Amino acid sequence: MTPATLIRRVRLVDLSGDGSPATGSGEVDVAIARGRITAVAPRLQPAGDQAVIDGEGRWALPGLWDAHVHLGQWSLGRSRVDVSSADSAPAAAALMAAALGRPGVSDLVVGAGYRSPTWPEPPTVDALDRATGQRPVVLISGDCHNGWLNSAALARFGLAPRAGVLLEAEWFAVLADVVAAELAQAGPRSYAAAQQEAARRGVVGVIDYEFEPGFRRWPERYAATGLLRVQTSVYPDDLDEAIASGVRSGDVLAGRDGVPMLTMGSLKIISDGSLNTRTARCVEPYPNADGLAEAHGVQNYDLDALTQLLAQARAHGLTAAVHAIGDAAVSTALDAFEATGATGSLEHAQLMATADVSRLARLGLTASVQPAHLLDDRAVTHQLWPDRADRCFPFASLAAAGVRLAFGSDAPVAPLDPWLAISAAVHRGDPDDAPWNPAQALSPVQALAASVRGRIAPGEPGDLVLLDDDPLCPDFSSAEAARRLRWMDVWATVISGVPA
């Protein structure tokens, strides 16, 4: 039975204002029973069966959510070889070669984090073969939109020989198999550890977009490893199975002591590519597009195909989450939402036409954005999108238009750490750097509101985070606020009334 909990002496962080409210100074008690808040008052008397947590005047915030993760891949981070430091193809291949001799390395060796657009030469299968030999080796790009395999790995996953990397749809099909093989080696403990680490940062829930039929895989997994609230998803390849099973968005797939903890989410569609692979679909061509198969980027699903998928999702009770990074892909996604009346979210919305900001608001869609990406993409944006950098990550414009923002990490592309995202949104860069396009920065209260669900009020889920410092950072500059938020101390995380 979920225990009753009384949290004593906390100060509620006020997220209801216009961007510059003061934190409430009065201390209150918060009572939680059966997974929901039952009372908030200056002084509540504990019942005999209540567990008591003394907040000692700390700041209380609704639990943080990460609205876009690939939890399986994030949980595998410790077993993957970090090649993010590589500044060339030979350097990345050498890092993988060095990893082959480490104790405990399994048959399949996976590296992650390479970003090749700035390399002097492209990654090739031949270069990886020379460094790694006959062991199957897979490298996953930092944005997860391409994969670099040696010949042994190509053979292992049933692929024909090739000279270079795999991109987009072809790669995503292989990535699903790679992740399944990694998880089989790692076992369920990796999922449990990843959730525990997230809870220590104040995360109470995630929306999982791993490349799998989550509605089928997650119930058993949750029984074995569940800690956070999880909203799972389905991709087009498994949509027919999801429809046949009768699952609809919002359905409860698993609970804990009668409290819904695992729910069905959206149909996830990756409509275009990414900036770093120069496959995000743009209105204008990429500069120096020689050698690109598509000078404007890749549209994985054209308007007709996207419209058909959204109509199918809507007809069967599923919301839609459409990945769209380039401005052309964003416009196409909005056209499909408008044509079908489907509801849901636009994922990433990294580069947008000005007119599409108000259109996104009019359609009532959520902008699911990842502020930490601007830290990694700042330099490459000025290299690959120098003529459109001012329209990237338009957070303030979206907020001003009335669009609901939901922050996520896209882990493992960025760490599953909401404070990194909040900090990046507030300062538009690392705290020690000059901000990038500061007119698009958000206030701390706006960034925090995009990272939580609900309020600390009776009837709301019993999910709270207790902080040692005031996260609204009153009278701080954006750099000072970003520094405090980046390293915010989380004293306790309470999920459904239970300390995590």
Side-chain angles (χ1 to χ4, degrees):
M1 191 74 172
T2 301
T5 303
L6 179 64
I7 302 174
R8 304 290 299 271
R9 298 196 297 153
V10 294
R11 288 178 278 182
L12 304 186
V13 179
D14 182 4
L15 301 182
S16 62
D18 61 0
S20 56
T23 300
S25 58
E27 294 181 0
V28 298
D29 296 349
V30 181
I32 304 170
R34 295 180 296 280
R36 292 199 171 271
I37 296 171
T38 57
V40 179
R43 186 69 174 174
L44 295 170
Q45 293 301 317
D49 61 345
Q50 279 182 319
V52 177
I53 300 172
D54 190 346
E56 300 177 336
R58 291 180 172 85
W59 285 265
L61 189 71
L64 301 167
W65 274 75
D66 190 315
H68 189 127
V69 304
H70 300 269
L71 196 57
Q73 293 189 70
W74 175 246
S75 74
L76 293 164
R78 293 180 180 85
S79 63
R80 288 176 170 176
V81 181
D82 182 4
V83 296
S84 60
S85 63
D87 58 5
S88 67
L95 288 171
M96 296 306 296
L100 296 181
R102 295 178 187 171
V105 172
S106 61
D107 172 54
L108 175 66
V109 185
V110 179
Y114 76 91
R115 296 179 182 271
S116 59
T118 58
W119 289 356
E121 70 286 306
T124 64
V125 173
D126 182 62
L128 195 55
D129 282 349
R130 291 197 302 271
T132 59
Q134 299 303 308
R135 292 281 293 281
V137 170
V138 176
L139 283 85
I140 301 169
S141 65
D143 59 14
C144 294
H145 276 254
N146 66 76
W148 181 16
L149 283 66
N150 68 359
S151 293
L154 289 170
R156 171 169 178 160
F157 291 103
L159 298 166
R162 67 192 58 225
V165 301
L166 284 75
L167 297 173
E168 298 303 325
E170 183 184 27
W171 162 239
F172 291 135
V174 177
L175 178 57
D177 292 336
V178 171
V179 173
E182 290 180 278
L183 290 173
Q185 293 174 170
R189 287 179 297 179
S190 62
Y191 267 98
Q195 292 177 78
Q196 290 163 0
E197 180 183 347
R200 285 192 289 271
R201 300 300 295 146
V203 176
V204 300
V206 298
I207 299 178
D208 186 29
Y209 291 121
E210 194 53 87
F211 297 98
E212 63 179 11
F215 64 95
R216 179 157 49 83
R217 300 269 178 84
W218 256 110
E220 181 178 355
R221 181 184 296 148
Y222 200 89
T225 69
L227 172 65
L228 307 178
R229 297 184 188 269
V230 176
Q231 182 177 307
T232 187
S233 58
V234 63
Y235 280 81
D237 285 350
D238 298 303
L239 178 58
D240 288 344
E241 181 186 351
I243 290 171
S245 73
V247 68
R248 302 166 75 89
S249 296
D251 284 355
V252 178
L253 304 181
R256 185 164 57 230
D257 298 327
V259 177
M261 298 298 291
L262 171 66
T263 58
M264 183 61 197
S266 296
L267 167 66
K268 172 69 183 298
I269 304 168
I270 302 178
S271 77
D272 75 332
S274 68
L275 169 62
N276 281 271
T277 53
R278 294 189 291 175
T279 51
R281 185 69 175 180
C282 301
V283 173
E284 298 297 327
Y286 284 81
N288 304 315
D290 295 345
L292 289 181
E294 297 281 352
H296 292 259
V298 176
Q299 186 72 35
N300 293 318
Y301 294 88
D302 63 19
L303 178 58
D304 287 345
L306 196 55
T307 300
Q308 182 176 351
L309 282 171
L310 293 190
Q312 190 177 10
R314 184 187 182 206
H316 294 280
L318 293 169
T319 56
V322 179
H323 162 123
I325 287 181
D327 53 357
V330 168
S331 292
T332 298
L334 295 182
D335 288 344
F337 273 110
E338 191 160 21
T340 60
T343 59
S345 61
L346 195 68
E347 303 292 320
H348 309 303
Q350 187 165 333
L351 174 66
M352 294 187 67
T354 302
D356 280 338
V357 172
S358 57
R359 193 153 69 113
L360 181 58
R362 178 170 55 81
L363 291 171
L365 302 171
T366 295
S368 174
V369 296
Q370 299 75 40
H373 287 2
L374 67 84
L375 304 176
D376 294 326
D377 284 355
R378 183 172 184 167
V380 75
T381 296
H382 288 287
Q383 179 181 353
L384 299 181
W385 286 344
D387 55 341
R388 61 206 87 164
D390 60 321
R391 293 189 285 116
C392 290
F393 304 102
F395 302 147
S397 294
L398 288 164
V403 175
R404 177 182 177 267
L405 294 172
F407 281 4
S409 63
D410 202 11
V413 179
L416 204 170
D417 182 351
W419 300 106
L420 176 62
I422 292 165
S423 172
V426 166
H427 185 59
R428 302 282 298 192
D430 287 316
D432 294 329
D433 293 340
W436 174 26
N437 196 4
Q440 292 296 337
L442 299 178
S443 68
V445 74
Q446 288 174 311
L448 289 162
S451 305
V452 304
R453 291 185 177 186
R455 302 173 299 139
I456 300 178
E460 296 284 327
D463 303 333
L464 286 80
V465 178
L466 304 186
L467 308 172
D468 285 331
D469 294 312
D470 182 354
L472 297 186
C473 305
D475 303 320
F476 281 32
S477 69
S478 69
E480 292 168 336
R483 189 172 290 107
R484 171 181 274 193
L485 290 163
R486 176 68 189 90
W487 304 111
M488 181 61 64
D489 287 324
V490 175
W491 185 75
T493 302
V494 177
I495 304 173
S496 188
V498 181

